[in-house]
Amino acid sequence: MRILLVEDDTRTASFIIKGLKQACFIVNHATDGESGLHQALTQSYDAAVVDIMLPKMDGLALVNELRKRKNKTPVIVLSAKSSVDDRITGLHAGGDDYLVKPFAFSELLARIQSLIRRATSVAEPTSLTVGNLTIDLLKRKVFRSEKEIELQPREFALLEYLMRNTGRVVSKTMIMEHVWDYQFDPHTNIIEARICRLRDKIDRSFEPTLIHTIRGVGYVIEEKAHHAL
């Protein structure tokens, strides 16, 4: 899941980014309203967290512009202003939720997850299963044929991304953006190396093979045998 954070206060931004990354979100950060609007309009996000008091363009103007351009990214508005009128103004500008500073990170996380559920109309799963492979998203554990498999955090994120797209081919660019938060560098072999290590742990000692390479396209995880193109 990819989140856009538009916050100019370094300390608050660092606090939010750290918490979201620990919850396995990819976070893009903008420090002013104009760059935040540009990122929101040029990239796809599952949700955005936008402070009101921003340089160049305030948060309400940013959200209002997003809605004018038919951008439906769910937005949580952050503000130190706590009156009822302030909250109403934030929601009327196009915000989907309004959170007053200071706040507990756990509340922000719960509100983000709630917005994503409402936007997708799909309940956030607590586990994912493909064949005899299961990952527990709450305990961050992986099992195949009831045997626990130890994965490094990045390997877990890679497997989770593949399993959230079960049966669909994901390109190297998509993996790089969603798992590493990098722009794709065609000269890097980091994805091939991590897929190789993941296969070694997930597929080498088990049947059937689940992770398949679609030559020249990307990778797919599924139970059915897949032939390389």
PDB file of all heavy atoms in Angstrom, residues 6-33:
ATOM      1  N   VAL A   6       1.925  14.753   3.009  1.00  0.00           N
ATOM      2  CA  VAL A   6       2.273  16.144   2.705  1.00  0.00           C
ATOM      3  C   VAL A   6       2.339  16.884   4.040  1.00  0.00           C
ATOM      4  O   VAL A   6       1.301  17.198   4.641  1.00  0.00           O
ATOM      5  CB  VAL A   6       1.248  16.799   1.758  1.00  0.00           C
ATOM      6  CG1 VAL A   6       1.788  18.147   1.281  1.00  0.00           C
ATOM      7  CG2 VAL A   6       0.950  15.900   0.563  1.00  0.00           C
ATOM      8  N   GLU A   7       3.531  17.104   4.503  1.00  0.00           N
ATOM      9  CA  GLU A   7       3.761  17.670   5.844  1.00  0.00           C
ATOM     10  C   GLU A   7       5.097  18.392   5.838  1.00  0.00           C
ATOM     11  O   GLU A   7       6.122  17.807   5.481  1.00  0.00           O
ATOM     12  CB  GLU A   7       3.750  16.535   6.882  1.00  0.00           C
ATOM     13  CG  GLU A   7       4.214  16.913   8.278  1.00  0.00           C
ATOM     14  CD  GLU A   7       3.308  17.952   8.929  1.00  0.00           C
ATOM     15  OE1 GLU A   7       2.214  17.586   9.393  1.00  0.00           O
ATOM     16  OE2 GLU A   7       3.727  19.127   8.939  1.00  0.00           O
ATOM     17  N   ASP A   8       5.084  19.672   6.224  1.00  0.00           N
ATOM     18  CA  ASP A   8       6.327  20.437   6.206  1.00  0.00           C
ATOM     19  C   ASP A   8       7.096  20.371   7.519  1.00  0.00           C
ATOM     20  O   ASP A   8       8.270  20.712   7.552  1.00  0.00           O
ATOM     21  CB  ASP A   8       6.057  21.901   5.844  1.00  0.00           C
ATOM     22  CG  ASP A   8       5.190  22.596   6.871  1.00  0.00           C
ATOM     23  OD1 ASP A   8       4.269  21.955   7.406  1.00  0.00           O
ATOM     24  OD2 ASP A   8       5.456  23.773   7.154  1.00  0.00           O
ATOM     25  N   ASP A   9       6.450  19.947   8.583  1.00  0.00           N
ATOM     26  CA  ASP A   9       7.139  19.847   9.870  1.00  0.00           C
ATOM     27  C   ASP A   9       7.971  18.563   9.908  1.00  0.00           C
ATOM     28  O   ASP A   9       7.427  17.457   9.849  1.00  0.00           O
ATOM     29  CB  ASP A   9       6.125  19.845  11.018  1.00  0.00           C
ATOM     30  CG  ASP A   9       6.809  19.799  12.377  1.00  0.00           C
ATOM     31  OD1 ASP A   9       7.299  20.842  12.825  1.00  0.00           O
ATOM     32  OD2 ASP A   9       6.885  18.694  12.957  1.00  0.00           O
ATOM     33  N   THR A  10       9.281  18.742  10.005  1.00  0.00           N
ATOM     34  CA  THR A  10      10.198  17.601   9.896  1.00  0.00           C
ATOM     35  C   THR A  10       9.954  16.558  10.975  1.00  0.00           C
ATOM     36  O   THR A  10       9.947  15.356  10.707  1.00  0.00           O
ATOM     37  CB  THR A  10      11.656  18.102   9.995  1.00  0.00           C
ATOM     38  OG1 THR A  10      11.882  19.083   8.988  1.00  0.00           O
ATOM     39  CG2 THR A  10      12.626  16.953   9.811  1.00  0.00           C
ATOM     40  N   ARG A  11       9.742  17.035  12.187  1.00  0.00           N
ATOM     41  CA  ARG A  11       9.570  16.091  13.303  1.00  0.00           C
ATOM     42  C   ARG A  11       8.285  15.269  13.147  1.00  0.00           C
ATOM     43  O   ARG A  11       8.281  14.058  13.325  1.00  0.00           O
ATOM     44  CB  ARG A  11       9.539  16.874  14.620  1.00  0.00           C
ATOM     45  CG  ARG A  11       9.575  16.009  15.845  1.00  0.00           C
ATOM     46  CD  ARG A  11       9.734  16.868  17.089  1.00  0.00           C
ATOM     47  NE  ARG A  11       9.752  16.055  18.295  1.00  0.00           N
ATOM     48  CZ  ARG A  11       9.894  16.558  19.513  1.00  0.00           C
ATOM     49  NH1 ARG A  11      10.043  17.861  19.680  1.00  0.00           N
ATOM     50  NH2 ARG A  11       9.886  15.756  20.566  1.00  0.00           N
ATOM     51  N   THR A  12       7.192  15.958  12.795  1.00  0.00           N
ATOM     52  CA  THR A  12       5.924  15.238  12.605  1.00  0.00           C
ATOM     53  C   THR A  12       6.021  14.270  11.430  1.00  0.00           C
ATOM     54  O   THR A  12       5.556  13.119  11.516  1.00  0.00           O
ATOM     55  CB  THR A  12       4.780  16.239  12.347  1.00  0.00           C
ATOM     56  OG1 THR A  12       4.690  17.139  13.451  1.00  0.00           O
ATOM     57  CG2 THR A  12       3.461  15.521  12.165  1.00  0.00           C
ATOM     58  N   ALA A  13       6.644  14.723  10.339  1.00  0.00           N
ATOM     59  CA  ALA A  13       6.771  13.859   9.165  1.00  0.00           C
ATOM     60  C   ALA A  13       7.587  12.615   9.490  1.00  0.00           C
ATOM     61  O   ALA A  13       7.223  11.497   9.105  1.00  0.00           O
ATOM     62  CB  ALA A  13       7.424  14.638   8.027  1.00  0.00           C
ATOM     63  N   SER A  14       8.695  12.796  10.214  1.00  0.00           N
ATOM     64  CA  SER A  14       9.547  11.662  10.566  1.00  0.00           C
ATOM     65  C   SER A  14       8.781  10.648  11.419  1.00  0.00           C
ATOM     66  O   SER A  14       8.896   9.432  11.220  1.00  0.00           O
ATOM     67  CB  SER A  14      10.784  12.167  11.317  1.00  0.00           C
ATOM     68  OG  SER A  14      11.576  11.099  11.738  1.00  0.00           O
ATOM     69  N   PHE A  15       7.982  11.164  12.359  1.00  0.00           N
ATOM     70  CA  PHE A  15       7.171  10.314  13.235  1.00  0.00           C
ATOM     71  C   PHE A  15       6.169   9.491  12.417  1.00  0.00           C
ATOM     72  O   PHE A  15       6.020   8.272  12.611  1.00  0.00           O
ATOM     73  CB  PHE A  15       6.451  11.226  14.234  1.00  0.00           C
ATOM     74  CG  PHE A  15       5.331  10.600  14.995  1.00  0.00           C
ATOM     75  CD1 PHE A  15       5.580   9.654  15.980  1.00  0.00           C
ATOM     76  CD2 PHE A  15       4.010  10.968  14.741  1.00  0.00           C
ATOM     77  CE1 PHE A  15       4.529   9.087  16.696  1.00  0.00           C
ATOM     78  CE2 PHE A  15       2.960  10.416  15.453  1.00  0.00           C
ATOM     79  CZ  PHE A  15       3.223   9.467  16.428  1.00  0.00           C
ATOM     80  N   ILE A  16       5.500  10.133  11.473  1.00  0.00           N
ATOM     81  CA  ILE A  16       4.488   9.429  10.668  1.00  0.00           C
ATOM     82  C   ILE A  16       5.144   8.431   9.711  1.00  0.00           C
ATOM     83  O   ILE A  16       4.689   7.289   9.571  1.00  0.00           O
ATOM     84  CB  ILE A  16       3.634  10.443   9.891  1.00  0.00           C
ATOM     85  CG1 ILE A  16       2.822  11.304  10.864  1.00  0.00           C
ATOM     86  CG2 ILE A  16       2.711   9.738   8.905  1.00  0.00           C
ATOM     87  CD1 ILE A  16       2.064  12.446  10.194  1.00  0.00           C
ATOM     88  N   ILE A  17       6.221   8.862   9.060  1.00  0.00           N
ATOM     89  CA  ILE A  17       6.896   7.983   8.090  1.00  0.00           C
ATOM     90  C   ILE A  17       7.414   6.722   8.771  1.00  0.00           C
ATOM     91  O   ILE A  17       7.247   5.601   8.270  1.00  0.00           O
ATOM     92  CB  ILE A  17       8.046   8.737   7.398  1.00  0.00           C
ATOM     93  CG1 ILE A  17       7.486   9.821   6.476  1.00  0.00           C
ATOM     94  CG2 ILE A  17       8.933   7.779   6.605  1.00  0.00           C
ATOM     95  CD1 ILE A  17       8.538  10.772   5.940  1.00  0.00           C
ATOM     96  N   LYS A  18       8.045   6.902   9.924  1.00  0.00           N
ATOM     97  CA  LYS A  18       8.569   5.739  10.652  1.00  0.00           C
ATOM     98  C   LYS A  18       7.455   4.748  10.998  1.00  0.00           C
ATOM     99  O   LYS A  18       7.584   3.545  10.792  1.00  0.00           O
ATOM    100  CB  LYS A  18       9.266   6.207  11.929  1.00  0.00           C
ATOM    101  CG  LYS A  18       9.859   5.070  12.755  1.00  0.00           C
ATOM    102  CD  LYS A  18      10.537   5.615  14.010  1.00  0.00           C
ATOM    103  CE  LYS A  18      11.100   4.463  14.853  1.00  0.00           C
ATOM    104  NZ  LYS A  18      11.735   4.992  16.097  1.00  0.00           N
ATOM    105  N   GLY A  19       6.343   5.277  11.503  1.00  0.00           N
ATOM    106  CA  GLY A  19       5.241   4.394  11.884  1.00  0.00           C
ATOM    107  C   GLY A  19       4.616   3.684  10.703  1.00  0.00           C
ATOM    108  O   GLY A  19       4.319   2.487  10.759  1.00  0.00           O
ATOM    109  N   LEU A  20       4.434   4.410   9.596  1.00  0.00           N
ATOM    110  CA  LEU A  20       3.815   3.793   8.421  1.00  0.00           C
ATOM    111  C   LEU A  20       4.724   2.730   7.803  1.00  0.00           C
ATOM    112  O   LEU A  20       4.257   1.685   7.354  1.00  0.00           O
ATOM    113  CB  LEU A  20       3.469   4.865   7.385  1.00  0.00           C
ATOM    114  CG  LEU A  20       2.298   5.791   7.750  1.00  0.00           C
ATOM    115  CD1 LEU A  20       2.139   6.882   6.708  1.00  0.00           C
ATOM    116  CD2 LEU A  20       0.999   4.991   7.880  1.00  0.00           C
ATOM    117  N   LYS A  21       6.019   3.009   7.779  1.00  0.00           N
ATOM    118  CA  LYS A  21       6.941   2.014   7.224  1.00  0.00           C
ATOM    119  C   LYS A  21       6.985   0.765   8.093  1.00  0.00           C
ATOM    120  O   LYS A  21       7.093  -0.353   7.583  1.00  0.00           O
ATOM    121  CB  LYS A  21       8.330   2.621   7.058  1.00  0.00           C
ATOM    122  CG  LYS A  21       8.402   3.619   5.901  1.00  0.00           C
ATOM    123  CD  LYS A  21       9.819   4.051   5.607  1.00  0.00           C
ATOM    124  CE  LYS A  21       9.851   4.903   4.338  1.00  0.00           C
ATOM    125  NZ  LYS A  21      11.232   5.345   4.003  1.00  0.00           N
ATOM    126  N   GLN A  22       6.902   0.941   9.400  1.00  0.00           N
ATOM    127  CA  GLN A  22       6.862  -0.227  10.283  1.00  0.00           C
ATOM    128  C   GLN A  22       5.594  -1.038  10.059  1.00  0.00           C
ATOM    129  O   GLN A  22       5.574  -2.242  10.300  1.00  0.00           O
ATOM    130  CB  GLN A  22       6.957   0.223  11.741  1.00  0.00           C
ATOM    131  CG  GLN A  22       8.349   0.711  12.132  1.00  0.00           C
ATOM    132  CD  GLN A  22       8.415   1.236  13.551  1.00  0.00           C
ATOM    133  OE1 GLN A  22       7.384   1.535  14.166  1.00  0.00           O
ATOM    134  NE2 GLN A  22       9.618   1.358  14.074  1.00  0.00           N
ATOM    135  N   ALA A  23       4.540  -0.360   9.601  1.00  0.00           N
ATOM    136  CA  ALA A  23       3.286  -1.052   9.281  1.00  0.00           C
ATOM    137  C   ALA A  23       3.287  -1.538   7.835  1.00  0.00           C
ATOM    138  O   ALA A  23       2.241  -1.940   7.316  1.00  0.00           O
ATOM    139  CB  ALA A  23       2.103  -0.121   9.530  1.00  0.00           C
ATOM    140  N   CYS A  24       4.479  -1.463   7.179  1.00  0.00           N
ATOM    141  CA  CYS A  24       4.685  -1.999   5.828  1.00  0.00           C
ATOM    142  C   CYS A  24       3.990  -1.191   4.741  1.00  0.00           C
ATOM    143  O   CYS A  24       3.602  -1.746   3.698  1.00  0.00           O
ATOM    144  CB  CYS A  24       4.289  -3.472   5.752  1.00  0.00           C
ATOM    145  SG  CYS A  24       5.326  -4.526   6.762  1.00  0.00           S
ATOM    146  N   PHE A  25       3.799   0.101   4.958  1.00  0.00           N
ATOM    147  CA  PHE A  25       3.337   0.980   3.888  1.00  0.00           C
ATOM    148  C   PHE A  25       4.553   1.577   3.182  1.00  0.00           C
ATOM    149  O   PHE A  25       5.602   1.784   3.791  1.00  0.00           O
ATOM    150  CB  PHE A  25       2.501   2.138   4.455  1.00  0.00           C
ATOM    151  CG  PHE A  25       1.110   1.740   4.867  1.00  0.00           C
ATOM    152  CD1 PHE A  25       0.843   1.373   6.182  1.00  0.00           C
ATOM    153  CD2 PHE A  25       0.067   1.738   3.956  1.00  0.00           C
ATOM    154  CE1 PHE A  25      -0.437   1.007   6.575  1.00  0.00           C
ATOM    155  CE2 PHE A  25      -1.212   1.375   4.325  1.00  0.00           C
ATOM    156  CZ  PHE A  25      -1.470   1.010   5.641  1.00  0.00           C
ATOM    157  N   ILE A  26       4.396   1.848   1.897  1.00  0.00           N
ATOM    158  CA  ILE A  26       5.358   2.655   1.160  1.00  0.00           C
ATOM    159  C   ILE A  26       4.924   4.105   1.318  1.00  0.00           C
ATOM    160  O   ILE A  26       3.746   4.425   1.133  1.00  0.00           O
ATOM    161  CB  ILE A  26       5.364   2.277  -0.339  1.00  0.00           C
ATOM    162  CG1 ILE A  26       5.793   0.817  -0.511  1.00  0.00           C
ATOM    163  CG2 ILE A  26       6.286   3.209  -1.119  1.00  0.00           C
ATOM    164  CD1 ILE A  26       7.187   0.510  -0.058  1.00  0.00           C
ATOM    165  N   VAL A  27       5.842   4.983   1.676  1.00  0.00           N
ATOM    166  CA  VAL A  27       5.487   6.378   1.943  1.00  0.00           C
ATOM    167  C   VAL A  27       6.282   7.310   1.036  1.00  0.00           C
ATOM    168  O   VAL A  27       7.514   7.242   0.981  1.00  0.00           O
ATOM    169  CB  VAL A  27       5.772   6.750   3.416  1.00  0.00           C
ATOM    170  CG1 VAL A  27       5.264   8.168   3.694  1.00  0.00           C
ATOM    171  CG2 VAL A  27       5.125   5.769   4.372  1.00  0.00           C
ATOM    172  N   ASN A  28       5.570   8.179   0.334  1.00  0.00           N
ATOM    173  CA  ASN A  28       6.197   9.274  -0.408  1.00  0.00           C
ATOM    174  C   ASN A  28       5.905  10.555   0.362  1.00  0.00           C
ATOM    175  O   ASN A  28       4.772  10.785   0.786  1.00  0.00           O
ATOM    176  CB  ASN A  28       5.648   9.377  -1.819  1.00  0.00           C
ATOM    177  CG  ASN A  28       6.120   8.237  -2.707  1.00  0.00           C
ATOM    178  OD1 ASN A  28       5.537   7.970  -3.735  1.00  0.00           O
ATOM    179  ND2 ASN A  28       7.181   7.537  -2.313  1.00  0.00           N
ATOM    180  N   HIS A  29       6.925  11.396   0.505  1.00  0.00           N
ATOM    181  CA  HIS A  29       6.780  12.584   1.355  1.00  0.00           C
ATOM    182  C   HIS A  29       6.985  13.854   0.528  1.00  0.00           C
ATOM    183  O   HIS A  29       7.982  13.986  -0.192  1.00  0.00           O
ATOM    184  CB  HIS A  29       7.820  12.515   2.494  1.00  0.00           C
ATOM    185  CG  HIS A  29       7.799  13.707   3.385  1.00  0.00           C
ATOM    186  ND1 HIS A  29       8.932  14.187   4.016  1.00  0.00           N
ATOM    187  CD2 HIS A  29       6.778  14.534   3.759  1.00  0.00           C
ATOM    188  CE1 HIS A  29       8.605  15.232   4.734  1.00  0.00           C
ATOM    189  NE2 HIS A  29       7.325  15.464   4.609  1.00  0.00           N
ATOM    190  N   ALA A  30       6.076  14.798   0.662  1.00  0.00           N
ATOM    191  CA  ALA A  30       6.216  16.121   0.060  1.00  0.00           C
ATOM    192  C   ALA A  30       6.200  17.143   1.183  1.00  0.00           C
ATOM    193  O   ALA A  30       5.461  16.983   2.162  1.00  0.00           O
ATOM    194  CB  ALA A  30       5.082  16.388  -0.924  1.00  0.00           C
ATOM    195  N   THR A  31       7.013  18.203   1.048  1.00  0.00           N
ATOM    196  CA  THR A  31       7.135  19.178   2.133  1.00  0.00           C
ATOM    197  C   THR A  31       6.387  20.486   1.863  1.00  0.00           C
ATOM    198  O   THR A  31       6.421  21.388   2.677  1.00  0.00           O
ATOM    199  CB  THR A  31       8.617  19.498   2.397  1.00  0.00           C
ATOM    200  OG1 THR A  31       9.208  19.965   1.174  1.00  0.00           O
ATOM    201  CG2 THR A  31       9.355  18.264   2.887  1.00  0.00           C
ATOM    202  N   ASP A  32       5.738  20.604   0.713  1.00  0.00           N
ATOM    203  CA  ASP A  32       4.909  21.787   0.454  1.00  0.00           C
ATOM    204  C   ASP A  32       3.702  21.383  -0.390  1.00  0.00           C
ATOM    205  O   ASP A  32       3.668  20.293  -0.982  1.00  0.00           O
ATOM    206  CB  ASP A  32       5.725  22.893  -0.238  1.00  0.00           C
ATOM    207  CG  ASP A  32       6.210  22.488  -1.613  1.00  0.00           C
ATOM    208  OD1 ASP A  32       5.380  22.429  -2.532  1.00  0.00           O
ATOM    209  OD2 ASP A  32       7.419  22.241  -1.772  1.00  0.00           O
ATOM    210  N   GLY A  33       2.719  22.282  -0.435  1.00  0.00           N
ATOM    211  CA  GLY A  33       1.470  21.956  -1.101  1.00  0.00           C
ATOM    212  C   GLY A  33       1.595  21.731  -2.597  1.00  0.00           C
ATOM    213  O   GLY A  33       0.961  20.837  -3.157  1.00  0.00           O
TER     214      GLY A  33
END
